Structures are given as C-alpha cells and as structure tokens.
Amino acid sequence: MINQGPVITIDGPSGAGKGTVSQLIAEKLGWHILDSGALYRLLSLAVSHHGMSVDDTETLKVLAEHLDIQFEQSEDGKIDIVLEGEIVTQAIRTEEVGNNASKLAAIPEVREGLLLRQRAFSQLPGLVADGRDMGTVVFPAAQIKVFLTASAEERARRRSSQLEQKGESVDFDALVKTIKERDERDANRTIAPLVPAAGALVIDSTDLTIEQVVEMIFAETVKAGLA
Ligand code: DC
C-alpha cells in the first residue's frame, strides 16, 4: 500500500477550537490540513445556490462527489476556499450555512459522497484532519486521535465575540440554544455521530488557552515519534 503518511484527527463540536488548533499543529509540523466541516458547508451553499431539494439524496451524493471545490493558498498565506470559481471563504461561515450543513451531514448519501474526497487529503508528510468523524470513520487508522470539546456556554461566548468583531449583533441565549440543538443533532444522528473515537485523547478546552491545547497535542505527537 502507498505510504500516505501519518494522520492526526481532531474531532469535536463547533466552537471547541478545532479549526485554530488544527491549523497551528499543521503549521508546527509542516503537514497538510483537512477542514472537513468546510466540505459540508460548501455543499450546503451549493445546494442553496442551485435551489436543490434535500430530499433527492442520490443527486446530493453525486453533487458531493463532484462538487468543484478548491483550497487555494492566497498571497497573504491564508487559504481561499473556492466553490465553482467563486471565493466563498467568508460566505460559508454564517450560522445559516452551518445549520443547513449539519442537516445535510445527517444524510448517509452525503457522507458517502464526501468520504473518498476526504481520504484523498492524506498525503506525505502527514495530515491534520479536523471534523466530527475523522477518527471514527474517515481515518480509523490515524496515529493520534483527539476529541476536543468545551461547554456550550463557553463555545457560545467564543462564537459571539467572533460575530461581534465582524459587527454582527448577537442574541447570546439564542446562540446557546442553537449550539445545543446542533450538538444534539450531530451527536444523535444514526450515521457517524459525534462521539470520541476509541482511544482518543479527550481535551476539554473550556478553561484552557489555544496554546495549552496545542502543546498537549504536540506532546502526544512527540511521544508517538512523529515530530
Ligand atoms: O465544523 P463545522 O461547524 O464547520 O461543520 C459544519 C457542520 O458539518 C457540522 O454541524 C456537522 C457537519 N460535519 C460533519 O457532520 N462531519 C464532519 N466531519 C465535519 C462537519
């Protein structure tokens, strides 16, 4: 079998810090990164752009397999996310796109359609994969599995400060409610529910800084002889 390099999976609910932590670990190791949530968000945006029905699951599967998506390095070193030729890096981050992504993510055909695309990100020298089922379904043989979580209130605080920085007004209680509903849907769906993989290092980031979380994961990487 071709050596596709080691994989670190970082799963957990949204707002736990997975995105930032994954990016910092990937930079530290010089590895590739997979933001699998972005794929579900891109699909959600494409479905609304094309006015598609979410009931036609076979067509959704084909769309998931073939959707024109690019992750391009921009001049300032950041990644531009491109859907069908249009930069949608910001557009996929709205609450509406996220909630619709969570609904699409409960459809088995959608998950099947995205499976091989996600595995294709595993390349040398290594991959940091961020999502909900990275350690359980997509990369079950990953060398290091992390489940990163935080209380719903703390995640709502982090999300509301992000939204306020963007000048958006925030109803904090409504945000906590939406986050809990989304957790419930992601954890209780029948296919690939959000649960820690067997043997995962569970980190509760409620009272930890990003740097502390990165150090904990990096220490595991050193222990495993990967860094
Ligand atoms: O991580 P995120 O908030 O960008 O993800 C958006 C939605 O996509 C999330 O509510 C659940 C779904 N998702 C998933 O089911 N499996 C993944 N590996 C990643 C995301």
Side-chain angles (χ1 to χ4, degrees):
M1 196 177 143
I2 302 164
N3 182 3
Q4 290 154 327
V7 178
I8 299 175
T9 59
I10 304 187
D11 290 307
S14 57
K18 285 175 291 134
T20 314
V21 166
S22 300
Q23 220 170 321
L24 290 170
I25 300 270
E27 274 169 23
K28 220 167 148 90
L29 294 166
W31 288 11
H32 301 281
I33 188 160
L34 165 62
D35 172 2
S36 62
L39 300 180
Y40 289 91
R41 287 171 181 269
L42 285 159
L43 195 66
S44 152
L45 197 60
V47 164
S48 85
H49 279 176
H50 297 301
M52 287 173 64
S53 158
V54 293
D55 298 327
D56 183 358
T57 54
E58 279 309 316
T59 305
L60 284 178
K61 182 178 177 192
V62 175
L63 185 69
E65 285 167 341
H66 299 287
L67 194 60
D68 176 14
I69 296 168
Q70 312 289 335
F71 291 86
E72 290 175 359
Q73 193 87 36
S74 71
E75 280 172 13
D76 59 3
K78 299 221 173 81
I79 306 261
D80 280 336
I81 302 179
V82 184
L83 172 65
E84 298 173 328
E86 185 191 343
I87 296 181
V88 294
T89 319
Q90 301 299 328
I92 60 165
R93 298 294 163 199
T94 66
E95 288 302 297
E96 190 193 348
V97 170
N99 282 324
N100 289 334
S102 158
K103 288 175 194 161
L104 284 172
I107 301 172
E109 288 84 350
V110 165
R111 305 199 75 86
E112 276 170 39
L114 289 178
L115 187 61
L116 294 183
R117 294 189 81 147
Q118 295 177 88
R119 289 192 176 145
F121 280 79
S122 176
Q123 288 179 15
L124 288 168
L127 176 72
V128 180
D130 150 4
R132 304 294 190 289
D133 61 342
M134 297 295 99
T136 50
V137 176
V138 181
F139 300 108
Q143 282 73 4
I144 295 177
K145 299 181 182 182
V146 176
F147 191 82
L148 184 60
T149 185
S151 70
E153 287 72 17
E154 175 59 22
R155 288 184 284 130
R157 264 192 294 280
R158 292 174 188 173
R159 182 72 186 140
S160 68
S161 75
Q162 276 174 353
L163 291 171
E164 275 162 7
Q165 273 169 22
K166 285 198 276 177
E168 294 177 35
S169 64
V170 182
D171 176 342
F172 186 77
D173 292 338
L175 198 55
V176 174
K177 186 166 171 275
T178 318
I179 285 176
K180 286 186 173 165
E181 278 167 7
R182 185 164 353 153
D183 284 356
E184 181 81 11
R185 189 163 50 229
D186 291 345
N188 293 315
R189 66 184 176 217
T190 45
I191 178 162
L194 174 63
V195 287
L201 169 69
V202 178
I203 302 177
D204 182 339
S205 75
T206 307
D207 299 313
L208 297 176
T209 63
I210 292 285
E211 290 72 23
Q212 286 172 317
V213 175
V214 169
E215 274 316 308
M216 288 168 85
I217 299 172
F218 192 69
E220 286 299 303
T221 317
V222 173
K223 213 160 73 183
L226 299 172

